[in-house]
Amino acid sequence: METREPEVIRDKEAMRRWSRGMRSQGKTIGLVPTMGFLHDGHLSLVRQSLTLSNVTVVSIYVNPGQFSPTEDLSTYPSDFSGDLAKLAAVSSSGSVIAVFNPKNLYDYDGGRNKKTISGGGRGGGKVVSCVEEGGLGHETWVSVERLEKGLCGKSRPVFFRGVATIVTKLFNIVEPDVAMFGKKDYQQWRLIKRMVRDLDFGIEIVGSDIAREKDGLAMSSRNVHLSAEDRQRALSISRSLAMAKASAEQGQTSCKELKNMIISELVGAAGRIDYVEIVDQETLQGVEDIKSGVVVCVAAWFGTVRLIDNIEINVTV
């Protein structure tokens, strides 16, 4: 089957013209937002987008707005040429994929501001992102007030504000009809759905099931940083989640008991727990007993790598 090299667009005005040109031809547009270093989970989102829209845009942009100055965004893995090759393999002669790869979506003076956004410092005690620390002048942020507070929002206080803002910017630039998000980042998916509802974006948000390695580890660009030993230990996450789901389906409805089961597995595998929570699938509020659909969410460190995973439990009492 013939493959098609994706067109790479780096300027936001050029991206907007491309999208409007496609729409003038009656084509629908799908968007798959990524930070690059694509794996099969990303590519499954691209394939799904190609079935739901006429053309697909894959954004590759490591967003400084979702990193705090104490998180070195320069360590995020990157392989742009490899990403293009993977997207070319996914594409066929009958499909169109464009890659939006801007240099800096927070630069409003054409590069004349020489300050960097690579981190360092703490912003005088205020919770800030690398964008604010870099002094680029960006001051408008999108916050989904309640959904951003718990789970990952507890340990990463600027993260979801940065995610909601960059996704809003991408929506305004690309102007898609549909956008794809993986459910591994469950809180992010729910937050974006709520933002789209509340701000009346005319965009369908599609959540895709978690893509996993053959041994059950949730696919993540960060997995490359795991040592062989830590990778084996990290399998305790998906294993404990599956155990909790099976136990719930067999009648265990106490969230305390289920969480203790997971914690025991993770600690036994030398994991450092950020959180283990069981929350309502829609509101992300914690529950004590399972009476309707919930999602079990885990964040834990193995070695120097923080991993997240989750599993939905759809039992009713």
Side-chain angles (χ1 to χ4, degrees):
M1 182 173 61
E2 180 186 355
T3 61
R4 175 178 295 186
E5 194 75 18
E7 179 180 356
V8 178
I9 303 170
R10 300 191 188 275
D11 177 74
K12 59 187 176 182
E13 293 302 330
M15 182 71 256
R16 191 174 282 116
R17 287 194 299 271
W18 186 94
S19 292
R20 291 178 179 179
M22 289 296 171
R23 182 157 286 109
S24 72
Q25 300 173 39
K27 298 183 183 298
T28 56
I29 301 167
L31 172 64
V32 181
T34 82
M35 295 206 300
F37 207 72
L38 304 182
H39 51 66
D40 284 345
H42 295 116
L43 299 180
S44 69
L45 295 178
V46 175
R47 293 187 187 96
Q48 190 171 3
S49 177
L50 290 171
T51 68
L52 297 175
S53 56
N54 300 123
V55 299
T56 289
V57 176
V58 179
S59 63
I60 296 179
Y61 181 65
V62 180
N63 172 36
Q66 67 196 57
F67 289 83
S68 74
T70 58
E71 298 173 310
D72 188 358
L73 57 83
S74 66
T75 64
Y76 196 86
S78 175
D79 180 16
F80 188 68
S81 60
D83 290 345
L84 293 182
K86 291 173 183 177
L87 290 172
V90 168
S91 180
S92 68
S93 57
S95 61
V96 174
I97 298 176
V99 171
F100 181 44
N101 178 230
K103 182 179 180 181
N104 182 6
L105 287 178
Y106 300 92
D107 179 10
Y108 306 111
D109 64 0
R112 290 184 295 275
N113 189 321
K114 299 300 183 183
K115 293 185 179 181
T116 66
I117 55 173
S118 58
R122 294 180 181 271
K126 182 182 177 182
V127 176
V128 298
S129 70
C130 291
V131 170
E132 291 146 299
E133 184 75 2
L136 294 180
H138 182 91
E139 58 180 307
T140 303
W141 299 94
V142 179
S143 291
V144 183
E145 296 290 342
R146 183 170 49 76
L147 290 183
E148 70 179 27
K149 300 244 184 263
L151 303 175
C152 288
K154 290 182 180 179
S155 60
R156 305 188 70 189
V158 304
F159 180 73
F160 287 114
R161 183 192 69 167
V163 167
T165 300
I166 197 61
V167 171
T168 296
K169 288 168 76 69
L170 290 170
F171 285 173
N172 285 334
I173 294 167
V174 178
E175 300 178 347
D177 298 283
V178 59
M180 311 296 303
F181 291 85
K183 286 187 180 181
K184 181 178 75 69
D185 300 287
Y186 199 91
Q187 186 176 12
Q188 172 180 276
W189 168 58
R190 285 297 187 187
L191 180 142
I192 296 301
K193 282 179 68 71
R194 185 64 50 83
M195 180 189 78
V196 164
R197 185 201 73 177
D198 290 353
L199 298 184
D200 291 311
F201 283 100
I203 301 169
E204 179 186 0
I205 303 300
V206 176
S208 184
D209 290 340
I210 298 172
R212 298 187 180 277
E213 306 286 356
K214 291 181 180 179
D215 57 12
L217 185 68
M219 290 185 180
S220 169
S221 298
R222 299 181 189 275
N223 290 351
V224 69
H225 293 309
L226 289 167
S227 68
E229 184 178 12
D230 285 333
R231 193 188 185 288
Q232 281 300 117
R233 290 173 171 171
L235 297 179
S236 61
I237 302 178
S238 58
R239 183 172 62 245
S240 64
L241 287 172
M243 290 169 54
K245 181 173 183 177
S247 181
E249 291 175 341
Q250 292 167 11
Q252 176 59 269
T253 62
S254 168
C255 292
K256 181 179 179 180
E257 294 296 325
L258 294 173
K259 288 194 288 185
N260 285 341
M261 177 191 306
I262 295 170
I263 290 169
S264 177
E265 282 289 313
L266 298 181
V267 172
R272 290 183 292 119
I273 296 171
D274 183 350
Y275 64 77
V276 175
E277 298 288 352
I278 301 178
V279 299
D280 180 86
Q281 291 180 9
E282 291 282 343
T283 68
L284 303 187
Q285 295 295 300
V287 298
E288 294 183 357
D289 291 285
I290 298 177
K291 298 178 180 178
S292 58
V294 298
V295 57
V296 187
C297 299
V298 170
W301 293 83
F302 286 86
T304 61
V305 183
R306 181 180 181 274
L307 300 174
I308 62 172
D309 201 349
N310 66 79
I311 195 165
E312 291 179 319
I313 299 176
N314 294 299
V315 297
T316 55
V317 177

